Amino acid sequence: MKIASYNINGINARLDNLLRWLAEAKPDVVCLQELKAPDDRFPWKALLAAGYHSIWHGQKSWNGVAILSSYGEIQETRRGLDGDPNDLHSRYIEAFINGIVIGCLYLPNGNPFPGPKFDYKLKWIKRLTKHAKKLNGFDLPVALVGDYNIMPTELDTYKPEKYIDNALFRPEARKLWQILLSQGWTDAFRKMYPEQRIYTFWDYLRNAYQRDAGLRLDHFLLNHKLADKLQSATVEKHVRGWAHSSDHAPVWIEISEARAPHPS
DNA sequence: ATGTCAATCGTGGATTGA
């Protein structure tokens, strides 16, 4: 089972790229972020024609998350996080697919630091941590997937010293990431590549992709029940090189599936 | 700051967010 995450940076502006990549990579489940589209402009028909059912939580102009599945109709389990009734950003959607709880998230960027946007980011991480604790109590495989907008360590950025005062790398955010992980979550990519510099984002500015001036922002957190089944993890770096690409690359993990018992 | 995108309002280009 292939579970993917892709910050698409405008689903309608990049629908052709998305469909091309789906046809090429054939993931089973895809978590999308930064739809930048209201609910009534989500291209569900084109995705259905490509073989994917969708659930989505859109918003005018910014944010927006969706989950695609090749397994048929999707059982949605949640949209949004508790803890702030005034938060209207569409940043979290969750479903139960093929026996796995999959949370798709778009964590606030938080720049500029310091400021209200950074404060909102920290609060959002705490709300996510609270929800993650609840999910971790279930006797089910769980994956929390998406654009975390956090570089957890110096290995996760091409130039750590440049990012000291950046919300993506501030110690306050990295500390909350560690607190979240300490509940028992496995960072799937770091588990598969313990020492390697891997990036999932390259800025549009200053030929960042050509220079490999990247950041690792998109993560898969797996609970124990799922981490045991992790087979591989891949960054689809070449897709970032396509014309009219998002500034993120699609990323995916492969999960081994227990063979279903034969019907008797 | 630099310089690159998309959405918006609303029809040309400034503004906002990333």
Side-chain angles (χ1 to χ4, degrees):
Chain A
M1 178 179 183
K2 259 166 100 165
I3 306 174
S5 183
Y6 193 6
N7 178 320
I8 193 68
N9 189 13
I11 190 163
N12 289 306
R14 306 193 201 283
L15 184 58
D16 290 347
N17 276 45
L18 176 60
L19 293 171
R20 178 182 171 190
W21 171 70
L22 288 173
E24 179 187 288
K26 298 180 170 57
D28 297 299
V29 175
V30 184
C31 295
L32 294 174
Q33 304 87 31
E34 278 210 85
L35 304 178
K36 293 186 173 175
D39 279 338
D40 59 2
R41 293 202 55 219
F42 183 85
W44 61 272
K45 281 183 188 169
L47 292 164
L48 194 59
Y52 291 90
H53 281 75
S54 309
I55 57 171
W56 61 93
H57 192 196
Q59 182 182 339
K60 196 164 94 173
S61 306
W62 300 301
N63 309 318
V65 283
I67 301 177
L68 318 183
S69 169
S70 64
Y71 295 102
E73 217 162 299
I74 299 175
Q75 185 184 342
E76 181 176 321
T77 52
R78 164 174 281 273
R79 54 178 59 201
L81 293 172
D82 292 339
D84 184 359
N86 295 319
D87 180 7
L88 300 176
H89 293 197
S90 298
R91 295 183 177 275
Y92 188 85
I93 193 165
E94 183 186 284
F96 188 57
I97 300 175
N98 200 26
I100 302 176
V101 179
I102 300 175
C104 170
L105 64 106
Y106 177 47
L107 208 141
N109 176 299
N111 278 309
F113 167 86
K117 290 186 178 176
F118 187 69
D119 299 339
Y120 171 63
K121 175 179 195 165
L122 298 185
K123 279 186 198 141
W124 205 94
I125 303 172
K126 288 175 188 167
R127 290 163 62 200
L128 176 67
T129 302
K130 213 168 192 177
H131 182 57
K133 190 174 181 184
K134 202 161 73 183
L135 292 178
N136 215 5
F138 297 160
D139 189 31
L140 288 169
V142 184
L144 290 171
V145 177
D147 179 0
Y148 280 75
N149 271 317
I150 297 171
M151 302 178 296
T153 73
E154 301 207 336
L155 257 189
D156 300 314
T157 161
Y158 70 102
K159 199 179 268 190
E161 64 273 21
K162 190 179 141 65
Y163 283 89
I164 286 168
D165 280 330
N166 191 297
L168 306 177
F169 198 53
R170 284 294 305 171
E172 297 90 334
R174 291 159 61 191
K175 175 135 192 243
L176 289 175
W177 163 268
Q178 288 302 336
I179 290 170
L180 172 58
L181 260 70
S182 71
Q183 292 177 347
W185 300 92
T186 296
D187 174 350
F189 273 79
R190 208 31 96 202
K191 186 183 178 189
M192 298 307 288
Y193 307 99
E195 314 274 335
Q196 213 167 308
R197 294 195 164 272
I198 339 179
Y199 307 132
T200 66
F201 165 95
W202 294 263
D203 207 304
Y204 290 120
L205 307 180
R206 298 172 294 269
N207 289 314
Y209 181 66
Q210 288 76 6
R211 294 186 294 121
D212 198 27
L215 311 173
R216 190 171 78 99
L217 302 178
D218 302 273
H219 307 301
F220 289 74
L221 293 192
L222 313 181
N223 75 345
H224 290 304
K225 289 204 79 140
L226 197 55
D228 290 344
K229 298 177 179 170
L230 178 63
Q231 297 295 302
S232 67
T234 302
V235 179
E236 300 260 42
K237 190 176 175 184
H238 72 286
V239 177
R240 174 64 183 83
W242 288 353
H244 210 56
S245 161
S246 166
D247 43 7
H248 293 249
V251 294
W252 53 266
I253 60 169
E254 196 161 21
I255 299 296
S256 65
E257 292 184 86
R259 194 173 289 276
H262 285 290
S264 46

